[in-house]
Amino acid sequence: MVGEQEMAPPKGEPILELKDVRVSFHTYAGEVRALNGINLTLYKGEVIGLVGESGCGKSVTAATIVGLLPENGEVKSGQIIFEGVDLLKKSKKEIRNLRSTKIAMVFQDPMTFLNPVLTIGEQLREVFTIDKKRLAQAALDYDLRRLKEEERDARDEAQSAKIRARIAELEGLRGNPPLPKRRRRRHVLDSLAAEALKKMRIPDAERIITEFPHELSGGMRQRVMIAMAIARDPDLLIADEITTALDVTIQAQILELLKILREEFNSTIMIITHDLGVVADLCDRVAVMYAGDVVEFSDARGLYQKPLHPYTQGLLRAVPRLTERPTMLESIPGSVPDLIYPPPACRFNPRCPYAWDLCRQKKPELLEVEKGHYTACHLYTEGSKRPSPS
Ligand code: SF4
């Protein structure tokens, strides 16, 4: 079944469903049809990769989910169901709230998003200040930790009993802790900021919170961005080309961090990248996009071992392999089409070595060709037969 069909659930509940989402940009040159009715389902705790060349719609998909399309962008139709609610029916204010609590996004260039005149600590403190409930809870935990340390060092039983009574009193506030007084808030916020950096395996976190973004390396800035993004335990993290500007060693470290998020915190993550190598090791499932369509969607192993769509096959032939003799890498002929005048029916047809008349007449639907492995290509459409080459 096409379009609206469900992917075989790998595990858990769906957290995010994109149903037939169409997005256009209005430009002086005409309407750019950037998303051509895409369908995707993301399950709690899974890591999904969105791959494809630049201009295929990956980042537009992410921007649509988090309500960050530019002024000239328009969602023409579809639904984006996040935790059972259609985000496209939410007001801008509600989406903004969601972005600061449940959905977090990390971008390619941290310098664009970090404020150059504020220290890392000041920026992290802002993140925590917005969430008053969490701040109150953190202040309570901070006080309890301190009291327990004092109790360990108490000089006699009388003092120890006094501290235990205070601990019991504070424990009683757990359900509804009060906001800390202004002068104590700073300590609490600093401890929260350092804790968030330590989660991201940032050494010497207490020093880093006193530094400005320009004093950190590119990799460290990206770690800080991830720490800020997950500081409030979002339900979904979207990472848009976060390793693109980094050298390979730092890339590996950032990917390692994402693995930690996945394994230790069971985070749900959408990774957007043009680099198939990035998703190979990390993702449960991978969606391949081309010119605004999802053309293949499968578990990562299936996609790499047996790519079905001619575009995915072309992408994988362009990846160097360490296990093979070095040869000239293949590339996919042509370039991504102009989406003001997209090619008819299958948008890949001008570049596809198998294209025939049907491909220019009818858009192929996303079909389950093998269990959990979907592709949109007439080569796999029942009843459509490619003429033998003459
Ligand atoms: Fe190629 Fe036709 Fe399949 Fe499109 S539908 S990928 S043009 S064979």
Side-chain angles (χ1 to χ4, degrees), residues 162-264:
K162 208 168 149 193
I163 297 171
R164 279 202 302 277
R166 178 70 184 137
I167 290 176
E169 194 185 320
L170 289 186
E171 287 287 5
L173 296 173
R174 273 222 178 272
N176 191 19
L179 263 177
K181 299 236 162 54
R182 188 175 287 273
R183 67 191 150 78
R184 208 165 50 79
R185 231 178 254 188
R186 171 71 187 261
H187 293 294
V188 176
L189 287 168
D190 277 348
S191 97
L192 275 177
E195 206 178 287
L197 295 182
K198 281 176 191 160
K199 264 193 200 167
M200 289 296 91
R201 308 291 199 264
I202 293 178
D204 208 1
E206 284 76 13
R207 180 179 57 80
I208 298 287
I209 60 175
T210 65
E211 300 203 322
F212 290 92
H214 72 269
E215 295 177 284
L216 307 179
S217 66
M220 192 59 85
R221 284 197 287 264
Q222 197 57 284
R223 279 169 190 243
V224 167
M225 282 300 296
I226 299 175
M228 282 171 125
I230 63 150
R232 270 177 280 129
D233 297 328
D235 295 343
L236 171 65
L237 173 69
I238 302 177
D240 189 0
E241 299 279 9
I242 58 168
T243 57
T244 302
L246 304 172
D247 67 50
V248 277
T249 331
I250 309 296
Q251 260 187 27
Q253 290 172 7
I254 297 292
L255 293 178
E256 206 47 47
L257 271 188
L258 294 180
K259 273 190 202 160
I260 290 168
L261 286 181
R262 175 211 169 112
E263 279 152 25
E264 288 183 18

Side-chain angles (χ1 to χ4, degrees), residues 268-281:
T268 310
I269 307 175
M270 178 186 274
I271 298 174
I272 293 172
T273 178
H274 63 273
D275 185 344
L276 281 158
V278 164
V279 290
D281 191 29

Side-chain angles (χ1 to χ4, degrees), residues 309-311 346-349 352-356 359 364 376-379:
H309 196 279
Y311 176 62
C346 172
R347 289 184 168 185
F348 189 57
N349 81 65
C352 180
Y354 307 105
W356 76 102
C359 308
C377 172
H378 286 311
L379 290 172

